[in-house]
Amino acid sequence: MTARLIALVPAAGGGVRFGATRPKQYAPLAGRSLLACTLDRLRDTLDLHAIVVAIAPDDSHYDRLVGVRDGVSVMRSGGPTRSDTVRNALLAMAAMCRDDDWILVHA
């Protein structure tokens, strides 16, 4: 079996330091949200088995500003810090991964 590449995009931040009315992952960029641009770029550039987005459990922006995308799964597993969000998502993803899969965590 060939190893599969799975991208994990932690996007659970509240954007407090960003100082806008909504988190920075939803800031507009070229007519779309920054997160939508990121997901589309990952999908179009890399040969990924899947893309997983980890958002905050109470995120009210994702559905409206990003929406359903082919090959993208959403997990409402965000934690109080980025490292908590990544850990929570990795634990939740364990059931979908094989031993030889690679998970690429988006910076």
Side-chain angles (χ1 to χ4, degrees):
M1 274 189 284
T2 303
R4 302 178 304 179
L5 297 178
I6 301 168
L8 169 58
V9 181
V16 174
R17 291 178 298 159
F18 188 59
T21 58
R22 58 183 163 209
K24 70 179 173 186
Q25 62 268 31
Y26 299 114
L29 177 66
R32 300 178 292 158
S33 71
L34 180 61
L35 182 54
C37 292
T38 299
L39 296 175
D40 291 346
R41 185 71 170 175
L42 284 170
R43 183 196 61 225
D44 295 344
T45 306
L46 300 173
D47 184 19
L48 297 169
H49 173 72
I51 300 171
V52 175
V53 182
I55 62 174
D58 61 348
D59 186 306
S60 63
H61 302 287
Y62 186 90
D63 293 335
R64 181 173 39 86
L65 297 174
V66 178
V68 176
R69 289 187 142 51
D70 288 339
V72 177
S73 301
V74 178
M75 291 185 174
R76 292 184 176 273
S77 58
T81 67
R82 178 178 168 75
S83 61
D84 290 329
T85 296
V86 171
R87 185 191 71 237
N88 293 348
L90 290 173
L91 290 171
M93 292 169 66
M96 69 179 266
C97 293
R98 301 186 312 213
D99 289 344
D100 63 343
D101 286 344
W102 283 82
I103 299 175
L104 311 172
V105 180
H106 186 272

